[in-house]
Amino acid sequence: MNGSDFKSLSEVLEKIRQTNSKLEKISKLGNFLKTLDDESLFAALRLLTSSTHPPWTNVELQVGYSTLTTLLLEISGISKKKFSEIYLKHGDLGDTAEEIIAQGKVIQPLVKEDLSIIKVFNILRKVAEYEGEGSYSFRKNALRELFINASPIEAKYLIKIITGELRIGLSEGLLEEALAYALNMSVSNLREKILLLPDIAEVSKKLRRNPNEEIELELLRPTSFMLAEPMSSAEEIANYFNKEIIAEFKYDGIRAQIHKKGDKVKIFSRRLDEISFYLPEIKSSIVKLKDDFILDSEIISFKQGKPVSFNILQRRLRRKEIDKELLEEIPLRAIVYDVLYYKGKIVYKLPLKERKVILTELDLKDNLELGFYKYVKNSLEISKLFEESLNKGFEGLMIKDPDSPYSPGKRGKAWIKLKKEFDTLDVVIVAAEYGHGKRAGVFSDYTFAVRNGDQLKIIGKAYSGLTDEEIEMMDKLLRSLCIEDLGYKIIVRPKVVLEVAFDSIQESDRHDSGFALRFPRIKRIRWDKSIEEIDTLDRVKEIYSRKRASFA
Ligand code: AMP
């Protein structure tokens, strides 16, 4: 046995789970990662993030609870009734697998093999890559090989890795701190690199090879998007900057990072998935342009001179086939507002005012255009432009510091958002109940939560705001994410992010966050946001105290 056994990794994870001290978690995991050779470290980081491939390759482990349950039943030979009893006792599939395997009735392989981290990773990678005919049985056989060779604790952590639960328990921040500890470097330095190259395993590989290796942007590989902070009024923004600033319309569309290298074009979403397939008309206009570049943009669609709603727009991103009809029904435009790389040069570190000049050299045409912007000096000018943006059917303004670089992945005050309905929260669905009337039998009443450190805290429930089509799709999706069935209610894996609007926030002991939203309604499903990006309990408290102050 050595550190690169999957058993050692499982035991470390178990110890981490048992301690509440963040420092202890970091040093335990950091010390363990330190012992691994380069290849095992790479594989361990992939497993710890429940990803077999970089996020932008769109290759995912598609193994759900039902496949795993069937597999556990098959290899252990226990009855469904017994299985349910064990599951109900734990409420967790990983713990259930541990208990079942510990009973010792599992089919034995001809020759029992120790599982190494690399072996587990390679098998899961093959499972994710396998496509086409017979893929279900291929996956099941490959997983079977893993589970019949697994000890109880290994089975438990295999499940947690495969279902993505580990990712929730072991936050990204903690993993970065542990890796920084293992590589003997500062967390902020490591984080910078991961923001530029958003793949912790790939970054670790480069740094192990050479701790001083410069990590830079690369064409056709996405980098994190720069993010904005909200402010509540034109006055607050003008006072904060106290200088001439850039104001841009805030388009309510789909954020897109556009890469062009020769005749290759790749377009990435905010979650770093490649979405080029869904945007053929944008792709073909981009390919006609001369030079190589990386752009930041918003994809929107106009109907009779007004932007169409985000919900309609989203339809373009959820279709398996983009037919002519859809292309005509929802024609897309890319509004370009930033440039990170141009003609062989990395330009994201230049001040925004210089990047804006570079953008004019691009010669955008057809369905590509430059985003509107204007230099403004005071709150009056900001307010005027804000009104103009709303009149045109846009969402508000983005105010940007003309002297700021583009900071991948950073949410700071160099970019500020000013929205009409700025009191919306991004939350994650944690449970769902059956609706009433025509929604009886359909999981359509959603309980949602915000983030507080590594925990999720419930803040409200909502059932209004989605279309019938969306409700039907959500019902299916939530059933597939079910981790506990309470009859009238299901507890689901926290995956689906909603943007909810509300009238106010109250203190309340109804939910474990200590707050409740008044009249919450769903503005839209945020497919583009992940659980890491939902709002925090601190933001809830901030809105709560701001509102109280304004009524006082
Ligand atoms: P929010 O989604 O409300 O957090 O607001 C930030 C989002 O606004 C960004 O992620 C972009 O998708 C979008 N956006 C629209 N117009 C702009 C713009 N001119 N500059 C930057 N982001 C924009």
Side-chain angles (χ1 to χ4, degrees):
M1 270 288 152
N2 64 45
S4 42
D5 287 310
F6 186 66
K7 184 140 194 236
S8 310
L9 176 63
S10 307
E11 281 165 359
V12 170
L13 291 170
E14 183 64 20
K15 282 193 197 128
I16 290 172
R17 189 159 113 134
Q18 281 164 3
T19 167
N20 283 328
S21 150
K22 198 173 155 209
L23 279 179
E24 220 175 295
K25 284 179 197 260
I26 292 166
S27 68
K28 283 208 159 70
L29 186 57
N31 278 323
F32 175 74
L33 296 178
K34 227 183 231 180
T35 64
L36 300 180
D37 59 69
D38 298 358
E39 209 187 332
S40 302
L41 176 65
F42 179 85
L45 289 168
R46 281 266 182 271
L47 298 181
L48 290 169
T49 47
S50 290
S51 55
T52 49
H53 292 75
W56 55 89
T57 53
N58 296 358
V59 183
E60 280 179 34
L61 252 183
Q62 289 179 27
V63 180
Y65 277 69
S66 70
T67 309
L68 292 170
T69 306
T70 315
L71 185 71
L72 288 172
L73 284 169
E74 269 177 28
I75 62 170
S76 66
I78 66 169
S79 68
K80 275 193 179 163
K81 188 163 167 273
K82 183 82 196 139
F83 184 92
S84 300
E85 272 169 32
I86 302 176
Y87 184 80
L88 280 179
K89 188 166 79 187
H90 298 290
D92 177 282
L93 197 58
D95 294 342
T96 306
E98 184 179 30
E99 181 168 339
I100 289 177
I101 306 256
Q103 289 179 353
K105 298 199 186 104
V106 169
I107 303 171
Q108 290 299 304
L110 286 177
V111 188
K112 191 131 185 155
E113 275 183 67
D114 281 342
L115 295 174
S116 69
I117 294 175
I118 294 176
K119 177 162 183 181
V120 172
F121 168 61
N122 282 337
I123 291 182
L124 293 184
R125 189 168 53 174
K126 277 200 209 118
V127 168
E129 280 168 3
Y130 201 92
E131 270 180 17
E133 237 173 84
S135 65
Y136 180 74
S137 49
F138 174 85
R139 278 192 212 137
K140 225 166 83 197
N141 285 339
L143 293 171
R144 188 187 162 92
E145 189 191 334
L146 279 180
F147 280 94
I148 59 174
N149 279 296
S151 62
I153 192 167
E154 287 175 315
K156 171 176 177 172
Y157 282 97
L158 276 174
I159 296 262
K160 288 189 182 293
I161 288 166
I162 295 169
T163 57
E165 246 178 77
L166 205 55
R167 198 166 36 191
I168 303 160
L170 197 72
S171 73
E172 233 172 275
L174 209 139
L175 191 57
E176 287 168 2
E177 292 201 44
L179 181 62
Y181 181 96
L183 294 174
N184 243 330
M185 65 191 292
S186 77
V187 189
S188 56
N189 187 6
L190 177 66
R191 229 164 242 165
E192 277 304 89
K193 295 184 192 304
I194 296 174
L195 288 173
L196 268 171
L197 167 50
D199 179 348
I200 191 167
E202 205 52 57
V203 169
S204 85
K205 197 194 253 174
K206 285 183 190 275
L207 294 178
R208 263 284 174 87
R209 210 165 40 208
N210 169 11
N212 299 319
E213 175 150 349
E214 183 77 8
I215 291 182
E216 253 315 344
L217 280 189
E218 252 178 47
L219 281 174
L220 307 181
R221 186 189 73 194
T223 195
S224 315
F225 287 80
M226 182 156 175
L227 304 170
E229 272 202 15
M231 277 196 195
S232 41
S233 69
E235 290 74 29
E236 188 184 351
I237 296 174
N239 284 340
Y240 172 75
F241 284 106
N242 200 18
K243 66 175 183 183
E244 200 170 53
I245 40 190
I246 289 179
E248 302 178 4
F249 288 152
K250 183 174 190 313
Y251 307 95
D252 193 7
I254 295 159
R255 186 103 181 245
Q257 195 176 92
I258 304 174
H259 290 234
K260 175 177 180 288
K261 183 180 185 189
D263 58 4
K264 284 212 182 80
V265 173
K266 285 195 177 189
I267 308 177
F268 300 100
S269 75
R270 236 185 102 139
R271 296 185 71 164
L272 312 178
D273 296 321
E274 195 187 337
I275 50 172
S276 326
F277 165 81
Y278 302 100
L279 314 168
E281 72 267 58
I282 302 291
K283 215 175 148 177
S284 61
S285 306
I286 291 285
V287 101
K288 285 189 216 146
L289 299 178
K290 271 206 309 284
D291 305 293
D292 293 349
F293 48 70
I294 303 177
L295 306 175
D296 194 357
S297 71
E298 199 78 4
I299 307 284
I300 58 172
S301 178
F302 285 97
K303 272 268 149 80
Q304 282 132 14
K306 286 264 176 193
V308 306
S309 81
F310 183 81
N311 283 333
I312 295 184
L313 196 59
Q314 287 262 35
R315 273 203 245 149
R316 280 289 303 260
L317 287 196
R318 303 195 62 77
R319 289 285 172 93
K320 292 235 162 59
E321 257 175 70
I322 310 280
D323 51 29
K324 207 165 145 250
E325 225 171 276
L326 192 63
L327 284 173
E328 276 167 17
E329 190 195 336
I330 314 172
L332 300 181
R333 298 187 72 72
I335 314 279
V336 176
Y337 44 75
D338 219 320
V339 54
L340 286 74
Y341 178 102
Y342 182 58
K343 267 194 189 174
K345 287 208 183 75
I346 285 176
V347 298
Y348 72 93
K349 294 174 190 161
L350 297 176
L352 176 60
K353 57 186 178 221
E354 289 177 35
R355 303 201 304 276
K356 287 288 190 196
V357 177
I358 297 177
L359 281 174
T360 60
E361 290 176 31
L362 283 170
D363 195 21
L364 299 177
K365 39 184 177 279
D366 303 331
N367 45 21
L368 311 171
E369 64 180 275
L370 280 184
F372 167 86
Y373 73 95
K374 198 173 167 182
Y375 281 89
V376 290
K377 288 188 293 295
N378 52 44
S379 62
L380 199 70
E381 287 179 4
I382 298 176
S383 300
K384 244 177 86 188
L385 213 57
F386 182 68
E387 284 308 314
E388 197 180 319
S389 166
L390 297 187
N391 287 338
K392 286 190 188 308
F394 302 133
E395 212 192 351
L397 292 182
M398 296 292 295
I399 311 286
K400 301 181 180 176
D401 183 345
D403 302 310
S404 64
Y406 188 100
S407 311
K410 294 264 169 69
R411 193 183 291 283
K413 290 198 165 67
W415 285 18
I416 301 292
K417 54 186 175 189
L418 182 63
K419 292 203 257 183
K420 182 174 62 156
E421 205 171 12
F422 80 101
D423 277 353
T424 64
L425 283 172
D426 293 331
V427 297
V428 70
I429 300 182
V430 291
E433 286 169 49
Y434 288 126
H436 300 287
K438 83 175 184 189
R439 293 179 183 171
V442 181
F443 285 112
S444 53
D445 192 351
Y446 317 110
T447 303
F448 47 76
V450 289
R451 210 157 41 81
N452 187 31
D454 284 349
Q455 294 177 326
L456 293 174
K457 295 283 178 196
I458 295 175
I459 175 120
K461 280 168 62 168
Y463 54 86
S464 71
L466 298 184
T467 62
D468 288 348
E469 199 186 331
E470 284 174 322
I471 290 170
E472 204 179 303
M473 186 267 308
M474 273 289 243
D475 177 64
K476 283 203 197 97
L477 178 62
L478 294 174
R479 283 174 198 267
S480 76
L481 295 173
C482 170
I483 44 180
E484 200 177 345
D485 190 343
L486 304 175
Y488 71 104
K489 179 180 185 175
I490 49 173
I491 310 293
V492 297
R493 248 199 299 159
K495 204 159 179 185
V496 185
V497 177
L498 298 177
E499 183 175 341
V500 290
F502 49 90
D503 286 1
S504 61
I505 295 179
Q506 299 172 318
E507 277 188 90
S508 159
D509 54 14
R510 203 172 344 140
H511 307 303
D512 63 0
S513 64
F515 293 93
L517 303 184
R518 248 174 88 78
F519 301 121
R521 51 215 174 255
I522 302 163
K523 233 183 121 193
R524 61 196 188 205
I525 310 170
R526 296 294 305 244
W527 299 114
D528 59 329
K529 288 202 173 178
S530 63
I531 177 177
E532 284 88 23
E533 291 187 273
I534 62 171
D535 278 304
T536 57
L537 189 57
D538 282 344
R539 173 141 158 76
V540 171
K541 289 180 186 160
E542 184 202 310
I543 298 176
Y544 173 72
S545 51
R546 176 157 33 81
K547 274 281 142 83
R548 270 167 51 113
S550 65
F551 290 132

